[in-house]
Amino acid sequence: MNPAQLRQTTVKASHVKRKIRRRFNFAQSVIAPSLLTWFEVIGYTVLLEPDIALGKHHIGRSSYKEVVLYERLYGALQKINPTKPHEAIAAAIHQVTSIESSDLLENNHRFHKLLTDGVEVEYFFNKETVHDKIRLIDPFNLVNNDWLVIHPLTVVEGNHVYCLDVVVFINGLPLAVIVSIHPSDEHATFQTAYQQIQAYLKQIPKLFLYNTFLIITCQNRARVGTLTSDWQEFLSWHTIDGEDFPAKGATELEILIQGIFDKRRFLEQVLHLIVFESNGIGISKKLLRRLFCTVPSYNKMFRSPPACG
């Protein structure tokens, strides 16, 4: 990022941060205000669940049990597949939301194929059986996709209620989950957030069926991994575009959000940098990391609170 771009982004971020602070009291929030700030800077819609609950925003789900935002998914698929009839889009949505398997990773692998390759559908049109394909994302025209962040997201499973810190929806599908730990807890570590994620995977697997990335944060520090990443495999991100060194003063959180969730880069990673490998026992999901993304010595650039180590 050149100096002119940095100044422009800084001004935008400052403006957005003030707007977010007016909308929500972060004194009681675990997440850092800058997390939502940077999502708005890169063009996502950020909605706060208290506003949703009060009816100020409609996100397109009928109950807290649903993890897919059906109306947003349908609207996005219409834009992405403008020549396809309603029957084709409805068939694709049914297939995406009806994946059946008792194994979370198998479900996730099957969904990832639909996400990257498109959904093959069969439907009746004009008294004929039509075989067609519906794309779930549009990597060529970014505005056709729906980019949404919700903080927090309430999910009901059985008799239990879970409150996820941040969930990132692309076209109504929950492709990323961010779990934050409170810096005031002197015993909290990134391992604490990792353990929380492992609990969520067991408690609400329906949410993670669609997951691409898992993010753990503490204040302005951040790590990224996948469903099968061990604790040691959650790593920080080190440049935004892979060409420039991080701007002086930029935080891990800022770099990770702009580096991973920039709209074009996000879809590039979904399509080309996520792989599933068989290890003879099961399947592992990996994020292929370019050299610029993980430079161990980079951590030395940050003076981080011991509680977040």
Side-chain angles (χ1 to χ4, degrees):
M1 181 181 294
N2 61 46
Q5 289 175 316
L6 179 61
R7 285 194 298 272
Q8 183 181 14
T9 302
T10 301
V11 171
K12 289 173 64 179
S14 298
H15 172 71
V16 174
K17 190 170 183 177
R18 288 194 298 271
K19 182 171 67 173
I20 291 178
R21 283 190 180 278
R22 287 196 297 268
R23 289 161 55 195
F24 190 69
N25 178 15
F26 278 96
Q28 302 300 319
S29 178
V30 174
I31 72 165
S34 56
L35 190 156
L36 300 184
T37 299
W38 286 110
F39 272 112
E40 287 206 333
V41 166
I42 60 178
Y44 286 64
T45 298
V46 174
L47 297 182
L48 306 176
E49 194 165 68
D51 290 339
I52 297 170
L54 291 173
K56 296 180 180 179
H57 300 284
H58 180 62
I59 61 172
R61 69 171 180 167
S62 59
S63 76
Y64 288 122
K65 293 183 179 181
E66 295 179 354
V67 297
V68 172
L69 310 182
Y70 287 90
E71 291 182 22
R72 286 182 175 267
L73 176 58
Y74 183 81
L77 295 192
Q78 283 185 309
K79 289 183 179 180
I80 296 169
N81 307 273
T83 63
K84 310 300 182 183
H86 164 77
E87 292 82 359
I89 294 176
I93 292 175
H94 176 74
Q95 191 174 154
V96 167
T97 56
S98 303
I99 298 175
E100 294 184 1
S101 171
S102 58
D103 187 289
L104 172 59
L105 195 57
E106 287 183 6
N107 279 335
N108 187 253
H109 189 194
R110 195 168 303 163
F111 168 72
H112 188 77
K113 289 182 179 179
L114 299 178
L115 189 64
T116 56
D117 299 339
V119 184
E120 294 184 359
V121 297
E122 178 181 301
Y123 58 94
F124 289 100
F125 187 71
N126 288 337
K127 299 182 179 181
E128 294 183 354
T129 299
V130 178
H131 297 274
D132 211 337
K133 180 174 282 190
I134 299 296
R135 291 184 298 153
L136 298 181
I137 53 177
D138 190 341
F140 306 108
N141 188 353
L142 299 181
V143 298
N144 282 340
N145 301 291
D146 182 80
W147 308 86
L148 175 67
V149 172
I150 297 179
H151 162 65
L153 181 78
T154 299
V155 178
V156 173
E157 179 67 17
N159 295 323
H160 300 281
V161 178
Y162 302 95
C163 189
L164 286 298
D165 295 323
V166 177
V167 179
V168 181
F169 290 87
I170 312 300
N171 299 337
L173 299 166
L175 298 192
V177 171
I178 300 175
V179 173
S180 297
I181 52 179
H182 206 296
S184 64
D185 183 353
E186 62 180 10
H187 300 295
T189 64
F190 275 124
Q191 288 97 325
T192 304
Y194 173 78
Q195 292 165 2
Q196 180 63 69
I197 286 177
Q198 300 311 303
Y200 283 148
L201 295 181
K202 295 177 181 179
Q203 295 161 346
I204 41 176
K206 64 184 180 183
L207 175 67
F208 295 92
L209 182 160
Y210 305 97
N211 186 265
T212 299
F213 297 121
L214 296 169
I215 310 292
I216 54 180
T217 74
C218 177
Q219 291 183 306
N220 285 318
R221 299 183 67 199
R223 301 286 187 272
V224 60
T226 70
L227 291 179
T228 63
S229 295
D230 292 331
W231 153 241
Q232 295 85 350
E233 294 175 310
F234 274 78
L235 300 175
S236 55
W237 211 252
H238 299 306
T239 71
I240 292 175
D241 58 12
E243 297 179 359
D244 297 336
F245 288 102
K248 184 177 180 180
T251 66
E252 288 182 346
L253 181 62
E254 170 189 342
I255 294 167
L256 185 145
I257 291 177
Q258 292 196 86
I260 290 181
F261 290 100
D262 168 85
K263 295 177 180 179
R264 190 168 300 281
R265 281 193 291 273
F266 182 86
L267 296 184
E268 177 186 347
Q269 290 171 100
V270 168
L271 293 172
H272 305 298
L273 298 182
I274 295 290
V275 297
F276 290 79
E277 297 179 348
S278 175
N279 55 20
I281 302 176
I283 299 174
S284 63
K285 182 178 184 179
K286 295 184 178 180
L287 167 61
L288 298 181
R289 303 176 186 277
R290 294 168 176 165
L291 291 177
F292 64 79
C293 295
T294 53
V295 183
S297 62
Y298 180 69
N299 287 330
K300 299 178 182 177
M301 296 174 62
F302 295 92
R303 291 187 173 273
S304 306
C308 302

